């Protein structure tokens, strides 16, 4: 006989029947208002419904069926019942679902801000440290994603490790900047339903924007569950109209379990990665793509342990987010011959030793010129098969942050690649906001053969590196 239990929630009593054979929890609502029933269902974790339910249920790396998307089994944990393995898989699939949608929406905010910066006179475009309008994207994305995740999980505090703080926005002379951030966030949130997400009932006030930014105050660690966000990775690329990324990952007990990487300027043709974005923009003006065709901008995403990584184009213009028609699986390159491999490295010399990587490239037989790309887009290039190697060896004293690598490293691994430090050890995301204990540098490869050759070359030449 099925077991019966009671839960008192939202001021109504709900009878719940545990069905052992079907391994699910059925809830029976008494005659209550639609508002009460909605609050009860959403209180344990919001799941997309309405016109977007079918799209969210499509198997595009999520593993959800339409029944899963609305199943009341998500109530088992709040009622004190242990989650089954299947329920845990569904929970992670829903986590990835909201992560991808949030990154899609965040990319649209960045595109608006970047187009405004690129349109400015060259001499007026400043860097992030100058408190120029480029910071609107950094704070805007952090506030946007923070609010979306909190709303999705029923208004509860969601632990987030993120790069930005709100101290500058609290200054008396930052009123105009705060208004710009608030306006950008509200403009994006008004379009949230196009992405299958909920918009606030009314525009957020500056105070709530500040609260959303400041709530991203987790310091990570080896226990518990927290999100990791880099609102705009590759500030110089963003300012210059080039490559940048929006990165969101989920870490549980020190392990990255999902990642979503938005690359708003990533071109459909890998050849265009070799050109600065201004030339790409010029070419697309002279020879515009066909209406409705994809020519740049995507989100790549993966879940740990699935052996799959996916890519979908960004939502443009008046389009609606749709899992059915957009996502496709990606995989690392099959190239294992160093002579045919392409390797990536940071654009700025301050971030990595170009001379050392050039020596490594020569010693292992790499013949192609390095592909120097801003931001975590380097991880995207390897995951999609557009490059085979990423090497980064920072100067002494520089400490890598978790938000610069969490999403990208997981996506490469699930796409079939390898990411370790220069000692061959997996990156450790359990030590807080830094990748503590990192052995010399970071090496990402499309396969184990190339990876092993790079590791041996590092060992052979490290003593003469002066790093």
């Amino acid at each position: 006989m099925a077991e019966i239990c009671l839960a008192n929630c939202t001021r109504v009593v709900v009878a719940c029947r545990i069905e052992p054979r079907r391994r699910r929890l059925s809830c029976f609502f008494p005659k209550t208002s639609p508002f009460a029933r909605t609050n009860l269902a959403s209180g344990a974790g919001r799941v997309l419904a309405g016109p977007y339910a079918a799209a969210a249920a499509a198997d595009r790396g999520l593993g959800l069926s339409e029944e899963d998307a609305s199943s009341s089994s998500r109530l088992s944990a709040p009622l004190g019942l242990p989650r089954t393995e299947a329920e845990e898989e569904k929970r992670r699939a829903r986590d990835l679902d909201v992560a991808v949608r949030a990154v899609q929406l965040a990319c649209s905010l960045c595109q608006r801000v970047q187009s405004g910066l690129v349109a400015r006179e060259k001499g007026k475009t400043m860097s992030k440290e100058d408190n120029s309008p480029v910071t609107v994207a950094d704070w805007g994305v952090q506030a946007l994603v923070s609010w979306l995740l909190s709303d999705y999980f029923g208004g509860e505090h969601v632990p987030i490790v993120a790069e930005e703080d709100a101290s500058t926005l609290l200054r008396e002379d930052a009123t105009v900047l705060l208004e710009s951030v608030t306006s950008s966030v509200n403009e994006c949130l008004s379009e949230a339903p196009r992405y299958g997400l909920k918009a606030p009932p009314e525009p957020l006030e500056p105070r709530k924007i500040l609260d959303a930014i400041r709530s991203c105050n987790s310091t990570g660690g080896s226990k518990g569950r927290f999100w990791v966000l880099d609102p705009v990775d590759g500030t110089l690329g963003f300012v210059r109209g080039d490559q940048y990324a929006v990165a969101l990952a989920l870490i549980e007990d020190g392990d990255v379990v999902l990642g979503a990487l938005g690359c708003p300027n990533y071109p459909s043709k890998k050849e265009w990665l070799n050109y600065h974005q201004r030339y790409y923009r010029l070419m697309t003006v002279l020879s515009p793509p066909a209406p409705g065709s994809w020519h740049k901008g995507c989100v790549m995403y993966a879940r740990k342990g699935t052996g799959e990584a996916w890519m979908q184009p960004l939502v443009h213009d008046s389009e609606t987010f749709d899992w059915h028609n957009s996502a496709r699986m990606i995989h690392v390159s099959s190239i294992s011959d160093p002579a045919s491999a392409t390797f990536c490295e940071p654009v700025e010399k301050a971030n990595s030793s170009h001379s050392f990587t050039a020596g490594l490239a020569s010693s292992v037989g790499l013949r192609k010129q390095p592909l120097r790309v801003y931001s975590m887009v380097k991880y995207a290039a390897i995951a999609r098969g557009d490059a085979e190697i990423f090497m980064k060896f920072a100067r002494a004293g520089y400490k890598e942050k978790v938000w610069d690598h969490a999403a990208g490293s997981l996506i490469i691994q699930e796409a079939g690649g390898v990411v370790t430090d220069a000692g061959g050890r997996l990156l450790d995301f359990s030590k807080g906001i830094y990748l503590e204990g990192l052995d010399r540098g970071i090496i990402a490869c499309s396969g184990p053969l190339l990876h092993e050759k790079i590791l041996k070359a590092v060992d052979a030449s490290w003593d003469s590196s002066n790093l």
Side-chain angles (χ1 to χ4, degrees), residues 335-389:
I335 292 174
S336 59
D337 180 5
S340 302
T342 298
F343 80 95
C344 303
E345 63 180 357
V347 174
E348 298 300 314
K349 293 181 180 180
N351 292 335
S352 186
S353 173
H354 287 178
S355 60
F356 182 61
T357 54
L360 288 176
S362 176
S363 66
V364 299
L366 297 174
R367 296 178 182 174
K368 294 185 178 182
Q369 289 295 312
L371 177 60
R372 290 176 179 162
V373 183
Y374 293 103
S375 79
M376 233 182 293
V377 167
K378 293 179 283 291
Y379 281 118
I382 295 177
R384 203 180 76 164
D386 295 337
E388 286 73 40
I389 301 168

Side-chain angles (χ1 to χ4, degrees), residues 19-41:
E19 302 176 78
R21 289 188 179 181
R22 299 182 67 185
R23 301 180 73 182
R24 64 181 296 174
L25 185 70
S26 298
C27 295
F28 304 94
F29 294 87
K31 190 173 182 180
T32 59
S33 69
F35 176 78
R37 292 194 297 270
T38 301
N39 276 351
L40 178 62

Side-chain angles (χ1 to χ4, degrees), residues 187-204:
E187 183 179 2
C188 265
L189 284 174
S190 69
E191 298 182 359
R194 289 204 296 119
Y195 297 81
L197 297 167
K198 179 184 174 183
E202 56 187 23
L204 301 182

Side-chain angles (χ1 to χ4, degrees), residues 42 86 95 135 159 180 183 189 237 267 282 325 347 432 437:
S42 63
D95 290 340
T135 54
S180 296
S183 175
L189 284 174
L282 176 61
N325 301 322
V347 174

Side-chain angles (χ1 to χ4, degrees), residues 1-289:
M1 178 180 292
E3 188 177 340
I4 301 293
C5 60
L6 296 178
N8 193 350
C9 186
T10 324
R11 298 184 180 179
V12 295
V13 176
V14 183
C16 300
R17 183 177 65 199
I18 304 171
E19 302 176 78
R21 289 188 179 181
R22 299 182 67 185
R23 301 180 73 182
R24 64 181 296 174
L25 185 70
S26 298
C27 295
F28 304 94
F29 294 87
K31 190 173 182 180
T32 59
S33 69
F35 176 78
R37 292 194 297 270
T38 301
N39 276 351
L40 178 62
S42 63
R46 190 166 280 108
V47 175
L48 299 174
Y52 301 98
D59 186 7
R60 292 295 184 269
L62 298 177
L64 282 171
S65 68
E66 187 169 356
E67 180 183 3
D68 295 336
S70 59
S71 171
S72 58
S73 63
R74 65 187 182 276
L75 289 176
S76 60
L79 291 179
L81 303 174
R83 279 196 179 98
T84 66
E85 184 176 341
E87 288 170 342
E88 187 66 22
E89 279 297 299
K90 292 175 186 177
R91 180 175 71 88
R92 287 189 177 176
R94 287 190 290 268
D95 290 340
L96 181 59
D97 179 89
V98 71
V100 172
R101 294 171 190 268
V103 170
Q104 279 267 3
L105 189 55
C107 286
S108 72
L109 184 152
C110 289
Q111 286 175 314
R112 290 189 183 98
V113 176
Q114 190 188 50
S115 62
L117 284 171
V118 171
R120 292 169 176 264
E121 296 179 17
K122 185 176 180 180
K124 293 185 179 180
T125 299
M126 297 179 288
S127 70
K128 178 178 173 180
E129 288 72 20
D130 295 316
N131 293 326
S132 73
V134 68
T135 54
V136 171
D138 276 296
W139 283 311
V141 168
Q142 187 159 313
L144 177 73
V145 173
S146 175
W147 188 90
L148 289 172
L149 291 180
S150 177
D151 179 73
Y152 181 84
F153 291 106
E156 65 184 61
H157 173 68
V158 177
I160 302 175
V161 177
E163 186 174 14
E164 307 303 326
D165 64 53
S167 57
T168 299
L169 293 175
L170 292 170
R171 294 190 329 215
E172 292 183 2
D173 60 350
T175 303
V176 174
L177 187 57
L178 177 57
E179 289 176 353
S180 296
V181 173
T182 302
S183 175
S184 296
V185 172
N186 282 321
E187 183 179 2
C188 265
L189 284 174
S190 69
E191 298 182 359
R194 289 204 296 119
Y195 297 81
L197 297 167
K198 179 184 174 183
E202 56 187 23
L204 301 182
E205 299 175 353
R207 175 182 55 81
K208 291 188 176 181
I209 297 295
L210 289 171
D211 288 343
I213 295 171
R214 287 183 293 194
S215 69
C216 300
N217 57 4
S218 173
T219 56
S222 61
K223 299 296 182 181
R225 163 186 164 100
F226 58 90
W227 296 83
V228 175
L229 170 67
D230 193 340
V232 178
D233 181 43
T235 301
L236 285 177
F238 183 90
V239 170
R240 295 170 180 174
D242 209 305
Q243 297 296 334
Y244 66 98
V246 176
L248 181 63
L250 178 61
I251 295 179
E252 293 182 349
D253 295 331
D255 293 327
V256 184
V257 297
L258 67 84
L261 186 62
C263 307
N265 286 334
Y266 200 103
S268 58
K269 298 179 180 179
K270 69 177 183 179
E271 293 79 12
W272 283 111
L273 280 172
N274 291 302
Y275 295 89
H276 189 282
Q277 278 296 113
R278 63 175 177 267
Y279 298 118
Y280 178 75
R281 288 195 303 271
L282 176 61
M283 293 303 296
T284 54
V285 170
L286 296 176
S287 180

